[in-house]
Amino acid sequence: MLYHLLVPLSDKFQVFNVFRYITFRTIYAVVTSMIICFLVAPVFIRWVRAYQVRQYIREDGPQSHKAKAGTPTMGGVFILFAVAATSLMWANLASSFVWVVLLVGLGFGGIGFLDDFIKIRRRHNKGLSGRGKFLLQVLIAGLAGGFLYWLPEFDPTLTVPFFKGVKVDLGWGYIPFAIFIIVGTSNAVNLTDGLDGLAIGPFVFSMATYLILSYLAGHAKIATYLQIPYVPGAAETTVVCGALVGASLGFLWFNSYPAQVFMGDVGSLSLGAVLGTVAILVKHELLLILVGGIFVLETVSVIMQVGFFKATGGKRIFRMAPLHHHFELKGWPEPKVIVRFWIIAGILSLIALSTLKLR
Ligand code: 57M
């Protein structure tokens, strides 16, 4: 909004020229969405307490989680509100990339909201059916993938880290690939969100990494110098990434141990889907394996545990999956598990950025 209102006035008021710059608008998108979270979260937490929108703890979980029963949940509602309001305020709304990210986030947030709402209404930790949730996710991700595939200025080919200039043309197969990335990342973040701040911490590192990558990919000279694909229009995605980073930091303020609020599926599904979508938009999809390494590790631990459990008639590789529960049951205090996962997430983000030079 501010971009459209103030840049045209920059002839008369020179100072408004600053609103042309993506760096300026991104910095203030981070600050704005964090402040919105600081203002809205306390009101939201009081409201959900009053209306009993509280977490039901599964019986088969770690005993330490019993104390968490009743923690307000669905904090993802104010994360999404902060991101949407900030993007509308600071982003160039003529950018189709901005709308793809926002609509995927709101779509997956709607699925998560429905899931959380059913859990609360039925007073236990089982919400939407797995199949129903999955089909809705595939539908929204498919619409996003299809839109990008047919978007004239978007090149629907796959780039490979470390190999400059290598492009894999999947043809219309790009659409199921995009669905896999978006739905996979969404569910990976969802699985990870099992300890206070455990999902949002690595998400801040991942989204900050893609904030940098979207800025680099969106500028022809920089992209050419780094020999990464130049993606016209990707730079504007940087502003939405800024809103996501700011809202995540604002949420972490309240979700840090001991959590005053959980994000709920409305938060984890939407944030994961948005991370996958941005990775596709800036054409660094495969790098997500590194940037989102914590989410990958957590998901792989579940696949290994369930697979081994079925193959051996009940034996387990880990004490419990996902991986964070394994360390909890090994006796690591919750904060130690959380901060160590953050440290790994930060290192993985740095290594991912280093691949820009390793080409
Ligand atoms: C998402 N949700 C948390 C909260 C959060 C196949 C199987 C691996 C699936 C997996 C599962 O149920 N995943 C769903 C994890 C839940 O958090 C809520 O869900 C939202 C995110 N979707 O925002 O609203 C619990 O996590 C804890 N929590 C915190 N702090 C936070 O900031 O402490 C969440 C956020 C909350 C709270 O206790 O209630 C969850 O874990 O359900 N299943 C599991 O993760 C279960 N693992 C399992 O079944 N392992 C088996 C399988 C793989 C064979 C095994 O290893 O043998 C474990 N999770 C729990 N109890 N809580 C074990 C059972």
Side-chain angles (χ1 to χ4, degrees):
M1 207 74 77
L2 293 175
Y3 173 85
H4 301 281
L5 290 174
L6 300 179
V7 168
L9 300 176
S10 58
D11 300 339
K12 286 184 188 165
F13 306 98
Q14 189 72 18
V15 67
F16 288 156
N17 240 334
V18 76
F19 286 88
R20 289 180 194 281
Y21 300 109
I22 283 174
T23 45
F24 175 82
R25 289 188 283 122
T26 298
I27 289 167
Y28 284 95
V30 174
V31 174
T32 304
S33 57
M34 190 157 56
I35 290 173
I36 290 175
C37 280
F38 285 156
L39 295 173
V40 174
V43 177
F44 180 86
I45 292 169
R46 272 199 305 276
W47 185 81
V48 290
R49 278 195 187 285
Y51 284 87
Q52 301 299 312
V53 177
R54 299 179 171 215
Q55 185 66 49
Y56 290 90
I57 306 296
R58 299 171 52 155
E59 288 310 313
D60 54 353
Q63 287 313 306
S64 57
H65 284 231
K66 298 282 185 258
K68 295 169 181 275
T71 304
T73 185
M74 294 179 76
V77 166
F78 69 78
I79 296 174
L80 289 174
F81 171 75
V83 171
T86 301
S87 300
L88 290 173
M89 193 186 300
W90 288 103
N92 174 351
L93 302 179
S95 159
S96 45
F97 283 10
V98 167
W99 287 107
V100 168
V101 177
L102 288 181
L103 293 175
V104 166
L106 292 172
F108 274 74
I111 298 170
F113 183 91
L114 194 56
D115 190 41
D116 288 330
F117 187 73
I118 292 170
K119 286 175 193 168
I120 287 147
R121 283 296 293 267
R122 293 179 179 168
R123 297 179 183 277
H124 65 62
N125 203 335
K126 283 233 179 296
L128 269 176
S129 73
R131 175 190 292 270
K133 210 156 57 166
F134 178 72
L135 290 175
L136 284 170
Q137 290 171 355
V138 168
L139 174 66
I140 295 171
L143 289 171
F147 176 79
L148 290 174
Y149 181 72
W150 279 291
L151 187 66
E153 67 262 32
F154 189 75
D155 172 15
T157 58
L158 189 58
T159 47
V160 184
F162 307 108
F163 297 97
K164 64 180 182 296
V166 172
K167 276 189 183 183
V168 179
D169 186 354
L170 303 172
W172 62 266
Y174 187 83
I175 298 174
F177 172 74
I179 291 172
F180 171 73
I181 294 286
I182 295 171
V183 174
T185 314
S186 177
N187 286 290
V189 175
N190 181 41
L191 282 175
T192 306
D193 193 30
L195 296 180
D196 297 353
L198 185 70
I200 201 71
F203 179 83
V204 169
F205 283 114
S206 302
M207 193 43 75
T209 303
Y210 276 105
L211 182 156
I212 295 167
L213 290 171
S214 64
Y215 184 80
L216 300 177
H219 285 78
K221 286 184 184 163
I222 303 175
T224 307
Y225 165 72
L226 291 170
Q227 300 182 67
I228 58 175
Y230 167 54
V231 186
E236 198 59 37
T237 315
T238 313
V239 181
V240 183
C241 291
L244 283 156
V245 169
S248 301
L249 290 171
F251 174 73
L252 179 57
W253 188 274
F254 300 93
N255 182 240
S256 52
Y257 182 85
Q260 297 164 262
V261 64
F262 297 154
M263 68 171 78
D265 282 34
V266 59
S268 58
L269 291 179
S270 58
L271 293 182
V274 160
L275 180 59
T277 304
V278 170
I280 290 167
L281 287 177
V282 301
K283 305 200 71 56
H284 283 84
E285 315 86 352
L286 297 181
L287 202 62
L288 195 51
I289 296 168
L290 208 47
V291 179
I294 284 293
F295 305 125
V296 173
L297 279 174
E298 291 264 74
T299 305
V300 167
S301 72
V302 170
I303 294 168
M304 288 170 64
Q305 180 88 324
V306 174
F308 191 76
F309 189 85
K310 285 177 178 170
T312 60
K315 289 186 181 153
R316 285 181 162 82
I317 302 173
F318 306 101
R319 296 183 185 203
M320 186 183 285
L323 198 55
H324 57 265
H325 287 315
H326 172 77
F327 291 114
E328 270 194 300
L329 297 185
K330 277 188 75 167
W332 292 19
E334 183 172 347
K336 196 174 278 294
V337 178
I338 297 160
V339 174
R340 286 179 173 177
F341 273 44
W342 289 355
I343 292 168
I344 294 166
I347 297 296
L348 288 173
S349 290
L350 288 175
I351 294 170
L353 286 172
S354 76
T355 64
L356 291 174
K357 294 309 289 175
L358 303 173
R359 314 178 75 83

